[in-house]
């Protein structure tokens, strides 16, 4: 145990030497030279623009292997994650834009932290004791992802790690009554990119009045590194024997239903596209994770044979929203001008269940004054 701890520390503080191969072509002759490049783990900051009279920055987290994750304090958004494929060729695995303007055009939550309540609340109404609260119904007839101006559209305060750790802490005060939610909520999200190519996301929050809370990250993944390839050929395992079926407005019916014998059975890895045709509209469902407590456990394994990449997801949360980018329809393009079509990318949003404030049988999303909300999710990339 002691030895393990020591090893981790020394890897973290190390400066990795990365071998880069440069190929130069001359008179039909190709020569290959191997040069040593130094990658310094840590974080850098650049100015990205302004909105709401506040400065927006882009932070680049780099680990000792040279893998980079970019995060903006606009929406606490992951804008890019570039890592090598099986041939050591780096490419991006999440949807995002190169400039702030892409985000100000309100894409469907690309890479953002979603809150105060991730996913839907039926008809934008809920009660805490006898107090009735009303939210904007921004996804008719329901409230979705925190409202008209949720956490994804706010400028957060950001504090980069002061040492060589690739870590960024973002904080935001959501005022009492903002988007209809009760209580001044202080929320902090810390992103850390480890040398094992894990993006660790830690969420903390406190309130001064009883409120509801469901925080998640809304990254859209395509492990091939090229959104011309649909995610329907990715292979997925979700450690969930049950899911929460929904009505036509995507509100859970309240039933916790077995996945056995249905297209929702991902307990053994299968191609996402195999049975998606039998799911009206595509997958956009909350899976009830088999884990029995709030320990950090592996819940998902996603694989792509083109790039050789695997994404593992670990969480302390009880659910995950598996969304196959059904509403992406080519109207939004990447910064490089490529249309983002249906199923070009997919989300694995770790969370509490949608509409929990109106569903007494679901795990509670109530946060009371004096309580400390804490949750952790880790996305881990590897190649074979
Ligand atoms: C929801 C989808 C929604 C998407 C983008 C997902 O979390 O479940 O229904 O379209 O986010 O807003």
């Amino acid at each position: 145990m002691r030895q393990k701890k020591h090893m981790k520390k020394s890897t973290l503080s190390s400066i990795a030497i990365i071998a880069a191969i440069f190929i130069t072509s001359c008179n039909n002759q190709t020569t290959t030279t191997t040069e040593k490049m130094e990658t310094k783990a840590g974080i850098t900051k650049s100015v990205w623009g302004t909105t709401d009279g506040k400065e927006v920055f882009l932070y680049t987290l780099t680990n000792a292997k040279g893998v980079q994750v970019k995060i903006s304090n606009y929406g606490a958004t992951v804008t890019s994650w570039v890592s090598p494929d099986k041939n050591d060729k780096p490419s991006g695995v999440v949807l995002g834009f190169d400039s702030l303007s892409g985000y100000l055009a309100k894409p469907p939550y690309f890479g953002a932290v979603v809150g105060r309540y991730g996913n839907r609340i039926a008809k934008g109404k809920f009660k805490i004791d006898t107090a009735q609260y009303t939210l904007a119904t921004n996804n008719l007839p329901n409230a979705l992802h925190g409202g008209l101006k949720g956490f994804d559209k706010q400028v957060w305060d950001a504090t980069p790690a002061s040492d060589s750790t690739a870590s960024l802490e973002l904080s935001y005060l959501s005022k009492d009554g903002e988007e209809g939610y009760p209580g001044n909520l202080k929320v902090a999200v810390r992103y850390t990119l480890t040398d094992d190519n894990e993006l660790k996301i830690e969420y903390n929050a406190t309130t001064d009045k009883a409120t509801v809370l469901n925080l998640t990250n809304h990254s859209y993944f395509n492990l091939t590194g090229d959104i011309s390839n649909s995610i329907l050929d990715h292979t997925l395992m979700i450690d969930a024997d049950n899911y929460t079926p929904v009505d036509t407005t995507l509100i859970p019916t309240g039933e916790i239903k077995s996945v056995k014998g249905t297209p929702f059975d991902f307990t053994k890895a299968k191609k996402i596209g195999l049975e998606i045709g039998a799911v009206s509209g595509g997958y956009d469902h909350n899976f009830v994770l088999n884990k029995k407590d709030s320990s950090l456990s592996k819940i998902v394994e996603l694989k792509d044979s083109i790039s050789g990449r695997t994404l593992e997801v670990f969480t302390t949360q009880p659910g995950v929203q598996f969304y196959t980018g059904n509403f992406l329809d080519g109207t939004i393009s990447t910064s490089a001008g490529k249309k983002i079509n249906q199923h070009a990318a997919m989300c694995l949003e770790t969370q509490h269940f949608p509409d929990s404030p109106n569903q007494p049988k679901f795990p509670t999303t109530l946060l009371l004054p004096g309580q400390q909300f804490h949750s952790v999710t880790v996305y881990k990339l590897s190649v074979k």
Side-chain angles (χ1 to χ4, degrees):
M1 186 68 185
R2 270 181 70 180
Q3 200 189 358
K4 224 175 162 183
K5 213 171 167 186
H6 173 74
M7 269 173 54
K8 198 166 177 204
K9 211 171 166 191
S10 65
T11 345
L12 268 177
S13 60
S14 75
I15 293 173
I17 307 293
I18 294 188
I21 299 177
F22 295 96
I23 301 175
T24 42
S25 248
C26 176
N27 296 337
N28 292 335
Q29 272 204 326
T30 302
T31 54
T32 304
T33 32
T34 303
E35 234 176 59
K36 300 232 160 177
M37 261 183 0
E38 277 193 350
T39 300
K40 193 172 183 324
I43 180 162
T44 58
K45 172 183 178 181
S46 61
V47 174
W48 227 32
T50 50
T51 186
D52 287 347
K54 293 180 188 145
E55 274 195 296
V56 176
F57 300 101
L58 186 67
Y59 296 85
T60 303
L61 282 62
T62 306
N63 73 7
K65 292 187 175 122
V67 169
Q68 288 194 326
V69 170
K70 291 183 196 263
I71 295 164
S72 174
N73 63 323
Y74 181 74
T77 301
V78 175
T79 69
S80 114
W81 185 352
V82 174
S83 81
D85 67 7
K86 64 183 176 195
N87 301 315
D88 255 353
K89 190 171 164 263
S91 50
V93 296
V94 293
L95 284 187
F97 300 108
D98 290 349
S99 67
L100 178 60
S101 57
Y103 295 93
L104 297 180
K106 302 186 182 166
Y109 308 91
F110 289 3
V113 166
V114 168
R116 189 176 298 200
Y117 198 94
N119 217 285
R120 291 173 178 79
I121 294 184
K123 306 209 165 68
K125 291 197 184 303
F126 66 96
K127 266 186 176 174
I128 298 178
D129 296 329
T130 52
Q132 170 81 54
Y133 296 99
T134 303
L135 313 168
T137 47
N138 59 329
N139 187 255
L140 286 170
N142 305 313
L144 175 69
H145 290 336
L148 297 171
K149 192 166 178 180
F151 294 1
D152 60 298
K153 296 177 187 72
Q154 302 290 351
V155 179
W156 296 53
D157 291 325
T159 315
S162 53
D163 57 11
S164 61
T165 316
S167 182
L168 178 70
E169 171 142 330
L170 298 126
S171 57
Y172 176 66
L173 170 66
S174 169
K175 295 218 174 107
D176 187 14
E178 184 183 276
E179 291 291 334
Y181 292 97
N184 289 296
L185 181 86
K186 283 188 195 160
V187 47
V189 174
R190 177 181 285 275
Y191 288 103
T192 306
L193 175 64
T194 73
D195 291 340
D196 290 331
N197 294 345
E198 298 158 323
L199 182 62
K200 182 176 183 192
I201 315 177
E202 294 163 274
Y203 304 85
N204 280 292
T206 53
T207 183
D208 62 2
K209 214 189 241 183
T211 191
V212 293
L213 181 68
N214 195 19
L215 295 171
T216 190
N217 175 277
H218 208 299
S219 286
Y220 288 71
F221 293 92
N222 182 323
L223 298 185
T224 71
D226 176 359
I227 59 156
S228 321
N229 304 308
S230 116
I231 49 83
L232 298 184
D233 287 331
H234 286 32
T235 300
L236 177 69
M237 182 287 291
I238 308 179
D239 189 13
D241 290 343
N242 296 285
Y243 75 109
T244 50
V246 287
D247 68 15
T248 51
T249 74
L250 298 176
I251 291 293
T253 58
E255 192 187 355
I256 306 271
K257 197 174 173 194
S258 169
V259 297
K260 226 186 192 128
T262 78
F264 297 92
D265 191 350
F266 285 92
T267 51
K268 288 194 186 70
K270 71 174 182 212
K271 274 206 174 166
I272 292 171
L274 190 68
E275 293 171 284
I276 195 172
V279 181
S280 165
Y283 294 102
D284 190 359
H285 294 81
N286 172 66
F287 284 70
V288 178
L289 299 172
N290 287 339
K291 64 205 282 299
K292 289 284 168 271
D293 57 23
S294 59
S295 59
L296 185 65
S297 318
K298 178 167 165 177
I299 56 139
V300 160
E301 191 165 296
L302 180 69
K303 279 177 190 270
D304 157 54
S305 59
I306 300 174
S307 65
R309 289 191 179 97
T310 296
L311 177 77
E312 292 164 277
V313 186
F314 304 77
T315 193
T316 59
Q317 289 283 290
V320 65
Q321 186 80 13
F322 168 42
Y323 170 56
T324 40
N326 312 326
F327 299 112
L328 300 171
D329 59 3
T331 51
I332 304 176
S333 298
T334 63
S335 298
K338 209 174 246 186
K339 281 187 190 314
I340 304 174
N341 293 320
Q342 193 182 45
H343 310 316
M346 53 172 281
C347 302
L348 293 159
E349 302 153 66
T350 55
Q351 61 179 12
H352 270 62
F353 309 168
D355 200 31
S356 297
N358 295 309
Q359 302 276 359
K361 282 199 233 132
F362 290 177
T364 183
T365 49
L366 198 62
L367 183 69
L368 301 174
Q371 288 181 338
Q372 172 75 47
F373 173 85
H374 177 69
S375 81
V376 182
T377 291
V378 176
Y379 294 99
K380 178 175 181 166
L381 274 181
S382 55
V383 271
K384 271 198 194 104

